Amino acid sequence: MAKLINWKLIARVIGLLVLLEAALLLVTTVVSLCYGESDTQALAISCLIIGIASGVLIACGRGSLGNMGPRESNIIVALIWMVMSLFGMLPFWLSGAIPNITNAMFESVSGLSTTGSTVLNNIEELPRGLLLWRSVLQWVGGLGVVVLSLVILPFISSGKQLYVAEMSGFTYKKVAPRLKDTGRRLMTLYLTLTLAAILTYWLLGMELFDAVCHGFATVSSGGFSTKQNSISYWDNKPLLQYAVIFYMLLSGISFVLLYWMLFKHEFRKIFKDEELRTFLLIACGTTLFVFLVVSFFPADASMEIHSFADFERNFRHALFQSVSTISSTGYYSYDYLSWPPIVWMVLVFFVMIIGGSAGSASGGIKVSRVLLVTKMALHELNRRIHPNAVFPASINKITIEPKLIQSTNSFFAFYIFILVVGTFLMVANGVEPFEAVGNAISSLSNAGPSVGQYGPSGSFYALPMFSKWVMMFLMLIGRLEIFTFLIIFTPALWKK
């Protein structure tokens, strides 16, 4: 008979992670106080509420013993995102900036899941404290709450299940023999990239506050901006936009590969990785396609090429939107809905669904899964020609185990099923079918903008309330890779 679920251990871990959220909110409150903003009191009260709640949870978990098993790990990973999202909405709601609880919760879930969809129509009017808090939520969600727990919670002696449940893709990798060392090194990488992005943005013309917020939101592939027009606000700073492209591209690459690249300098080994090569190939191919269409079949005269400056502008916007979409960051330098329909249909209904690499900050199905399914399909064609031959599926010359192939097939089946159900629910709630499909893809891929009135230059403020809850549910499913989230609804998890 299986052991009882260790609820004390679960309460203790969640309490300590909520305490981390309170600490980050305290820093945000201090920043707001330094700027003399109107949201300082609301931030302070929210911080106090979260701190008390974490204290209660830690007290409930006092004396917890034993290692963390698969059931505790899955429960913690699923619950912590919901709990932190609930507490994360308090500053928006208590400050009155987003007085509706559903909208405040939407902004919080979108931030923590690094989706980047927003209900705000006047972002520049928000106090700096709330603008920073939006970016902090995304920064925490980018690396993953659980990876942070491996660094700050020394009593977790069996965190492999947490790590596996948190990291995206059909497999996981470590950069050190000990899991805690892996967490520390990934955290070092994440901090390094964040600081580098902030410094780069600041040197290239952003104000320091904007650079900090965008540094947090870019490295996490979140996409929240301090400007209503996103990165198009800095259209007169091409170098800055190229810098954003560079860091968005990095956010779509596996953290493990980035670690080996930046700290071990094994570049030749890294670029032999099939997933990385495929990711870069999709990004380059999409850029070329978008550039050719918007340049030779422009939807308006502003995209016509008459000089090298026009050529550079079209290429920059094509590259920016392609990288922003595949990394699921959600920034925009140009409203892609103003381009020919074939362009934004490819971006939303193809590239956005694929997403970035496994183990990265990006969303989507992940390139590794698409690569594996493609190989399996080609092998099936070969089997039809040579029925007695054996064609094992492999990536990087390593044969994929049958159980991982089965897991990948199940993932695709669940993804399509959830996408269809989410779309149906929004259509039933009065959302236009085309927009409902775009919203479902955007949420499940944690990508941000959608189509129609919910495109890059719009917001989700007018979306019906029930549809917002559907999107929040899809955001959390997408961030937790479907199985980790849905497993808490299976009876087998709760049986003794």
Side-chain angles (χ1 to χ4, degrees):
M1 180 181 293
K3 297 187 297 183
L4 293 173
I5 296 175
N6 192 339
W7 286 107
K8 281 192 172 184
L9 181 60
I10 292 173
R12 186 182 179 192
V13 174
I14 291 179
L16 287 168
L17 289 172
V18 170
L19 184 62
L20 170 65
E21 185 176 28
L24 293 172
L25 185 54
L26 178 60
V27 174
T28 306
T29 304
V30 172
V31 172
S32 176
L33 182 63
C34 292
Y35 277 106
E37 296 285 357
S38 59
D39 59 353
T40 304
Q41 183 177 355
L43 291 168
I45 294 174
S46 301
C47 184
L48 180 62
I49 293 173
I50 298 173
I52 293 173
S54 68
V56 171
L57 287 169
I58 293 171
C60 291
R62 181 176 297 175
S64 58
L65 299 173
N67 290 333
M68 188 178 301
R71 293 198 297 175
E72 287 84 3
S73 299
N74 281 289
I75 292 172
I76 288 172
V77 172
L79 289 183
I80 190 59
W81 289 89
M82 291 185 280
V83 171
M84 292 187 73
S85 296
L86 179 63
F87 288 133
M89 72 94 178
L90 289 176
F92 303 118
W93 182 52
L94 294 178
S95 66
I98 308 179
N100 181 280
I101 290 182
T102 295
N103 286 344
M105 190 69 180
F106 185 95
E107 199 75 10
S108 178
V109 173
S110 178
L112 197 62
S113 65
T114 71
T115 302
S117 302
T118 183
V119 296
L120 297 171
N121 293 314
N122 54 347
I123 293 176
E124 282 96 340
E125 295 183 10
L126 253 63
R128 286 185 175 88
L130 293 180
L131 289 174
L132 179 60
W133 181 237
R134 294 169 81 235
S135 298
V136 167
L137 284 173
Q138 294 201 319
W139 189 80
V140 171
L143 181 62
V145 176
V146 170
V147 175
L148 293 176
S149 73
L150 296 176
V151 180
I152 67 173
L153 303 182
F155 66 86
I156 295 182
S157 58
S158 56
K160 178 181 177 180
Q161 293 295 333
L162 279 176
Y163 185 71
V164 173
E166 173 68 29
M167 293 303 283
S168 58
F170 60 79
T171 186
Y172 78 97
K173 303 175 184 177
K174 298 188 293 183
V175 297
R178 296 177 58 199
L179 201 58
K180 289 184 182 298
D181 291 334
T182 294
R184 293 188 186 98
R185 293 181 186 184
L186 292 181
M187 190 69 221
T188 300
L189 169 68
Y190 199 58
L191 286 169
T192 301
L193 291 177
T194 303
L195 292 174
I198 292 171
L199 180 61
T200 304
Y201 296 165
W202 181 49
L203 292 176
L204 291 178
M206 273 192 187
E207 293 184 7
L208 182 58
F209 179 80
D210 291 331
V212 170
C213 292
H214 285 86
F216 287 167
T218 307
V219 174
S220 64
S221 80
F224 273 158
S225 176
T226 57
K227 308 298 181 184
Q228 193 70 43
N229 292 329
S230 189
I231 306 300
S232 67
Y233 178 87
W234 291 278
D235 191 51
N236 62 337
K237 297 183 184 297
L239 287 179
L240 175 60
Q241 293 191 346
Y242 280 116
V244 176
I245 292 171
F246 174 73
Y247 286 107
M248 287 194 299
L249 193 66
L250 291 183
S251 74
I253 299 174
S254 166
F255 284 129
V256 175
L257 287 183
L258 284 178
Y259 178 85
W260 286 106
M261 187 187 304
L262 298 178
F263 292 99
K264 298 297 183 180
H265 308 297
E266 298 193 21
F267 298 102
R268 296 177 66 180
K269 177 181 177 181
I270 297 305
F271 284 100
K272 289 182 179 179
D273 185 86
E274 284 190 69
E275 183 182 31
L276 176 60
R277 294 204 309 266
T278 306
F279 170 77
L280 295 177
L281 180 63
I282 295 173
C284 292
T286 305
T287 299
L288 179 61
F289 171 78
V290 173
F291 171 74
L292 292 176
V293 173
V294 301
S295 297
F296 293 98
F297 304 96
D300 57 73
S302 65
M303 299 301 291
E304 294 179 357
I305 295 180
H306 301 288
S307 64
F308 178 78
D310 296 333
F311 177 92
E312 183 279 327
R313 176 205 60 212
N314 285 10
F315 172 77
R316 172 164 35 94
H317 291 320
L319 178 62
F320 192 103
Q321 292 309 137
S322 299
V323 173
S324 178
T325 304
I326 195 170
S327 67
S328 73
T329 306
Y331 285 145
Y332 74 94
S333 64
Y334 199 94
D335 187 350
Y336 56 68
L337 293 181
S338 64
W339 288 341
I342 186 64
V343 171
W344 51 262
M345 288 182 69
V346 167
L347 289 175
V348 175
F349 299 110
F350 176 69
V351 180
M352 188 179 287
I353 291 176
I354 294 175
S357 302
S360 69
S362 62
I365 290 176
K366 299 295 186 299
V367 174
S368 58
R369 290 195 181 98
V370 175
L371 184 61
L372 179 59
V373 169
T374 301
K375 286 192 173 188
M376 289 165 53
L378 293 176
H379 288 171
E380 183 60 30
L381 291 177
N382 288 328
R383 286 193 191 97
R384 297 298 178 108
I385 301 173
H386 307 285
N388 297 322
V390 177
F391 299 96
S394 63
I395 292 181
N396 294 329
K397 298 181 180 179
I398 299 175
T399 301
I400 303 298
E401 298 179 9
K403 65 178 182 180
L404 289 178
I405 295 176
Q406 182 180 356
S407 174
T408 301
N409 290 334
S410 299
F411 181 92
F412 270 85
F414 270 112
Y415 187 94
I416 294 172
F417 175 75
I418 294 170
L419 190 64
V420 171
V421 171
T423 300
F424 175 80
L425 291 175
M426 281 187 272
V427 170
N429 193 222
V431 180
E432 291 294 326
F434 198 66
E435 293 177 337
V437 175
N439 293 350
I441 292 174
S442 172
S443 303
L444 200 53
S445 297
N446 302 132
S450 177
V451 296
Q453 62 178 313
Y454 311 112
S457 59
S459 79
F460 291 83
Y461 181 82
L463 189 71
M465 184 179 298
F466 176 75
S467 294
K468 288 175 182 172
W469 285 102
V470 171
M471 284 189 65
M472 283 185 261
F473 190 72
L474 295 178
M475 290 176 197
L476 291 174
I477 291 178
R479 181 59 185 84
L480 293 176
E481 292 283 292
I482 296 180
F483 293 120
T484 304
F485 188 82
L486 294 184
I487 198 172
I488 65 173
F489 299 103
T490 60
L493 180 71
W494 308 101
K495 288 181 180 179
K496 294 183 180 179

